């Protein structure tokens, strides 16, 4: 279930679904997803599906992780200094760390922060700087960021995150409440430009810490 062949099958499925960025595919192939899921679900780790983490959260579907990062890298862009909101178990942060210069990840649920720290250590991923904080406020002490990625849906663009996006930077997030879509925000000289993309379904971005 954790063999190179099993991981390769996951990558083949992502290619079949239209993921073309070979560096993104290599990053997903490099991350041992079975270390980030509940032990009872390890046999399903390389299925292209979201899996429960507890605390009403999920580990993101590999296709969605790949799709969001591929969009951010479109046009041959590098991720640069990256902020992830909603670190969960640390899986997407680990994928980002294969591609970005620096990765900061924020999670609001304390038990998940501890689990993510353990998972990242087990995976040998020491590059991610994990913070226990309310994600809607971003991480102003480390801003600005070239890339911001949200793993939870919000009905409107969070002003704090927009302000922490570097000039020329890109942010991708699930936008909406009952109906959601991926939204790409680019900070251009003339202002913020938004592009509406795929329909998606994410857990909501909640306030506060617990």
């Amino acid at each position: 279930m954790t063999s190179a062949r099993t991981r390769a099958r996951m990558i083949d499925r992502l290619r079949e679904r239209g993921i073309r960025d070979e560096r993104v595919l290599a990053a997903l192939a490099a991350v041992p997803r079975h270390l980030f899921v509940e032990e009872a679900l390890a046999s399903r780790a390389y299925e292209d599906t979201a899996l429960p983490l507890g605390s009403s959260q999920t580990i993101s579907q590999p296709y969605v992780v790949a799709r969001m990062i591929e969009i951010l890298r479109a046009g041959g862009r590098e991720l640069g200094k990256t902020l992830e909101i909603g670190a969960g178990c640390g899986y997407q942060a680990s994928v980002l760390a294969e591609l970005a210069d620096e990765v900061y990840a924020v999670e609001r649920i304390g038990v998940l922060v501890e689990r993510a720290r353990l998972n990242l250590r087990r995976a040998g991923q020491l590059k991610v700087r994990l913070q226990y904080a309310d994600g809607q406020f971003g991480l102003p002490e480390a801003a600005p960021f070239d890339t911001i990625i949200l793993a939870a849906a919000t009905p409107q663009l969070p002003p704090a995150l927009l302000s922490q996006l570097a000039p020329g930077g890109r942010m991708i997030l699930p936008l909406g409440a009952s109906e959601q879509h991926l939204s790409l925000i680019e900070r251009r000289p003339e202002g913020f430009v938004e592009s509406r993309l795929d329909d998606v379904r994410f857990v909501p971005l909640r306030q506060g810490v617990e």
Side-chain angles (χ1 to χ4, degrees):
M1 67 184 176
T2 62
S3 69
R5 190 187 317 174
T6 304
R7 293 195 207 184
R9 282 199 297 269
M10 181 184 77
I11 301 306
D12 288 343
R13 286 192 292 270
L14 296 179
R15 281 199 180 94
E16 289 167 4
R17 294 198 61 182
I19 303 299
R20 295 288 175 261
D21 188 324
E22 288 298 325
R23 286 192 61 199
V24 171
L25 291 167
L28 270 87
V31 173
R33 192 170 186 251
H34 62 279
L35 297 181
F36 292 85
V37 304
E38 298 282 356
E39 190 174 346
L41 297 172
S43 63
R44 301 183 59 196
Y46 296 97
E47 294 178 9
D48 187 23
T49 187
L51 295 170
L53 289 177
S55 304
S56 301
Q57 304 298 303
T58 58
I59 180 173
S60 294
Q61 178 185 359
Y63 171 76
V64 173
V65 173
R67 173 70 174 141
M68 292 174 78
I69 299 174
E70 184 174 64
I71 291 166
L72 290 168
R73 282 179 38 82
R77 292 172 59 102
E78 297 296 334
L79 297 183
K81 186 179 179 181
T82 298
L83 173 66
E84 180 198 28
I85 303 298
C89 63
Y91 171 66
Q92 182 171 258
S94 190
V95 176
L96 289 166
E98 296 287 328
L99 297 161
D101 295 334
E102 301 176 70
V103 177
Y104 294 79
V106 175
E107 174 54 54
R108 61 176 289 274
I109 300 175
V111 66
L112 291 183
V113 172
E114 293 309 311
R115 187 181 304 172
R117 285 197 175 113
L118 176 61
N119 291 341
L120 289 164
R121 282 199 301 268
R122 290 171 65 204
Q125 182 50 264
L126 305 177
K127 191 175 183 179
V128 177
R129 302 179 193 184
L130 189 60
Q131 299 287 331
Y132 175 44
D134 185 340
Q136 68 175 328
F137 299 117
L139 207 59
E141 62 269 30
F145 298 98
D146 302 302
T147 301
I148 301 177
I149 183 167
L150 277 73
T154 178
Q156 61 246 345
L157 296 173
L161 298 182
L162 290 174
S163 71
Q164 292 171 36
L165 194 61
R170 289 179 174 179
M171 174 167 65
I172 193 164
L173 73 161
L175 198 59
S178 57
E179 296 184 1
Q180 302 169 8
H181 61 273
L182 289 181
S183 181
L184 176 68
I185 311 299
E186 300 176 85
R187 188 167 194 170
R188 299 180 182 173
E190 66 270 26
F192 293 103
V193 178
E194 180 179 355
S195 302
R196 178 171 175 155
L197 303 163
D198 318 5
D199 292 335
V200 288
R201 190 68 188 166
F202 279 74
V203 297
L205 180 68
R206 300 196 183 279
Q207 298 180 359
V209 295
E210 61 181 71

